Amino acid sequence: MRPHGSQSDLEKRRRRAIELLKQGNVTLSDVARQVGASKSSVCRWQQAYLESGSKALRSKEIPGRPPKLSSDQKAQLEQVLLAGPLVSGYRTDLWTLKRIAEVIRKHFDTTYHPNHVWRLLVGMNWSCQKPERRALQRNEEAVERWKRSRWPYLKKSAKTWGPSGLSG
């Protein structure tokens, strides 16, 4: 598992470990404790340094395919998503994976399959939300009036059931 920190932070940690070992008065265990690494890692760094010099301590490129969207583009996408689908020209105020894929294609000229848009959103700390289902023709005033006047008469009272033989 890759340790926490940026590539440059991890490289600094390796270089610090070698500096401490060069002093000569510390053990591998002490160095490992000071730089926050395992003893075996410090030993491996020391062997690599002795074989290849300081170039062996350099950070290596992260393997794998580079992301299609940069962090700046992801921030721009987040702003577009926060503005809402209506601003992007959709008829309803609901984001779908397909719609987000279309927005990415329009704004960033990059194609994402709708199923992979989900991974992108999770990486941006977004989560799935279920829309509240309400009829388009719903009259909020009539609903509130019904809740105030009719609902209290229909609602069961607390006195409808209780054990027999007890008086309150």
Side-chain angles (χ1 to χ4, degrees):
M1 187 167 136
R2 185 180 186 279
H4 296 289
S6 68
Q7 288 178 304
S8 62
D9 291 341
L10 297 176
E11 182 177 335
K12 287 176 189 174
R13 184 170 77 158
R14 291 189 290 272
R15 293 193 185 282
R16 175 76 178 130
I18 296 303
E19 287 173 18
L20 291 170
L21 288 171
K22 282 183 180 178
Q23 293 174 1
N25 57 354
V26 290
T27 65
L28 286 174
S29 299
D30 292 336
V31 171
R33 199 173 311 106
Q34 287 183 31
V35 298
S38 67
K39 184 179 169 184
S40 60
S41 292
V42 173
C43 184
R44 197 171 10 126
W45 299 339
Q46 183 182 35
Q47 287 174 345
Y49 177 76
L50 293 174
E51 290 174 10
S52 304
S54 64
K55 70 178 181 178
L57 302 176
R58 284 191 219 137
S59 61
K60 294 163 183 64
E61 290 293 321
I62 296 174
R65 184 179 191 158
K68 289 183 176 183
L69 295 179
S70 68
S71 56
D72 289 340
Q73 289 174 322
K74 288 179 185 177
Q76 290 173 8
L77 174 62
E78 187 166 16
Q79 294 305 314
V80 170
L81 296 178
L82 288 172
L86 298 174
V87 174
S88 292
Y90 294 102
R91 289 182 17 218
T92 61
D93 198 17
L94 179 69
W95 281 120
T96 63
L97 296 177
K98 185 177 177 182
R99 285 180 175 185
I100 296 171
E102 290 171 0
V103 166
I104 292 171
R105 186 181 46 74
K106 287 177 191 173
H107 287 282
F108 307 107
D109 198 30
T110 302
T111 57
Y112 268 90
H113 189 277
N115 294 347
H116 292 277
V117 170
W118 177 243
R119 290 182 186 174
L120 176 69
L121 293 175
V122 168
M124 294 168 55
N125 294 321
W126 282 59
S127 62
C128 180
Q129 304 291 318
K130 265 191 167 177
E132 206 174 280
R133 293 190 178 265
R134 291 201 171 162
L136 293 175
Q137 63 274 17
R138 179 178 164 125
N139 183 343
E140 291 296 331
E141 292 175 12
V143 170
E144 286 302 316
R145 195 169 42 252
W146 183 87
K147 282 181 182 178
R148 280 192 310 269
S149 61
R150 188 75 180 124
W151 176 242
Y153 295 108
L154 298 173
K155 190 174 165 184
K156 288 184 180 179
S157 65
K159 299 178 188 175
T160 57
W161 183 87
S164 59
L166 296 176
S167 59

